[in-house]
Amino acid sequence: MKRPEAAKRQPGRRSAAESRDTRERLLAAAEKHFARYGYSGTSIRDLGSALGIASSSVLYHVGSKRKLYALVLQRISDSLSSVLRHIEDGSGADMMQQFAERLMSWSELHPYYVQIVVHEMMENPDRLGEVHRWLLAGFMQDALGLSARATARQNGNKVDADMVLMLILGAVTNFHISLPTFMALRGTVDRLELKRRFMDTLDQFLGMALSSPRKNIKSGSTIRIRARP
């Protein structure tokens, strides 16, 4: 008995593999556009033009610009989760230095993501009324938990966990965003050397804030600075 022939795909219809490929290419293009222009400066037409497809095809694959942006933010959130995994237990300074180093490595691997996060910080207040769930909130809550555990180990003066986290996030993000301009103005071309000096300086600040014992600067006593090996 003959086996029935597989139903032929109708003209104009795409296979599941083709649809997945288009969706992945669309997400990659969206990451580049959102990184450069932000959410407000990116249109469905722009993304369609980048891929050589109609705007209607873009909407078919992602539904809307808001849903596409949510998919990109979810990718960023999933990627950021690796930054907080397996941080070794130790002093408060050690824990936050590990976090800073991992965040730096993540930023180097995902430059588009860093730019998108910066745009999100700038644009999100204007869209708060439209946002039902901030997709980076999970990472922020976990990072705040790490900072709270690290600062709780501080003897003497209490260090603000929120501000320690904000310092690290802001410093690492600004390093990547401002580095090209800084190198052009400074006349420095050795990117790796600048990164090393930046991380050494950040480690010193964290060491001053979180190493125990921490003495009051106003008393005239010295503060322990933990240099990187």
Side-chain angles (χ1 to χ4, degrees):
M1 182 177 176
K2 283 187 176 182
R3 300 177 65 182
E5 293 184 5
K8 292 183 178 180
R9 182 157 49 97
Q10 296 179 6
R13 294 191 62 183
R14 301 175 68 86
S15 68
E18 288 173 329
S19 293
R20 285 194 298 270
D21 178 67
T22 300
R23 183 182 173 89
E24 284 302 312
R25 291 192 300 118
L26 181 54
L27 283 167
E31 289 175 359
K32 292 180 182 179
H33 277 73
F34 288 139
R36 184 170 184 179
Y37 305 110
Y39 177 84
S40 300
T42 299
S43 70
I44 292 296
R45 179 178 296 179
D46 293 334
L47 297 174
S49 297
L51 295 182
I53 61 177
S55 298
S56 58
S57 295
V58 175
L59 294 174
Y60 169 78
H61 286 285
V62 297
S64 67
K65 186 174 83 166
R66 182 185 297 182
K67 290 181 179 179
L68 175 60
Y69 189 60
L71 288 173
V72 171
L73 288 184
Q74 187 62 62
R75 280 190 165 192
I76 296 175
S77 179
D78 293 343
S79 176
L80 272 170
S81 64
S82 63
V83 174
L84 291 163
R85 288 196 196 116
H86 310 304
I87 288 182
E88 296 179 6
D89 194 46
S91 69
D94 287 335
M95 292 167 68
M96 297 313 292
Q97 284 165 354
Q98 289 178 66
F99 173 74
E101 289 167 1
R102 291 185 179 197
L103 186 64
M104 172 63 79
S105 297
W106 177 87
S107 300
E108 292 179 312
L109 289 173
H110 304 286
Y112 288 148
Y113 288 176
V114 175
Q115 294 174 53
I116 291 171
V117 170
V118 171
H119 278 293
E120 177 67 3
M121 296 298 99
M122 297 172 64
E123 296 180 358
N124 193 50
D126 295 331
R127 300 197 311 273
L128 284 177
E130 305 172 9
V131 174
H132 299 289
R133 183 169 66 96
W134 192 49
L135 291 171
L136 300 180
F139 167 77
M140 288 297 295
Q141 291 300 323
D142 291 342
L144 283 169
L146 173 69
S147 187
R149 293 194 302 275
T151 56
R153 303 184 179 198
Q154 172 67 27
N155 293 327
N157 295 337
K158 179 65 177 176
V159 179
D160 191 317
D162 290 359
M163 295 303 103
V164 169
L165 178 61
M166 187 176 290
L167 170 68
I168 295 173
L169 293 175
V172 173
T173 299
N174 186 66
F175 175 81
H176 286 284
I177 296 298
S178 64
L179 185 59
T181 301
F182 182 85
M183 290 177 66
L185 294 175
R186 185 72 172 78
T188 304
V189 294
D190 192 339
R191 184 187 184 99
L192 290 178
E193 174 64 13
L194 283 177
K195 174 192 168 184
R196 183 195 65 77
R197 288 165 53 196
F198 171 82
M199 291 305 297
D200 282 347
T201 302
L202 183 56
D203 279 358
Q204 288 180 345
F205 276 110
L206 291 172
M208 285 190 289
L210 297 174
S211 288
S212 181
R214 179 176 181 265
K215 297 181 180 180
N216 196 320
I217 297 177
K218 293 180 180 179
S219 67
S221 55
T222 60
I223 296 177
R224 180 189 301 172
I225 299 178
R226 304 177 69 260
R228 297 177 87 194

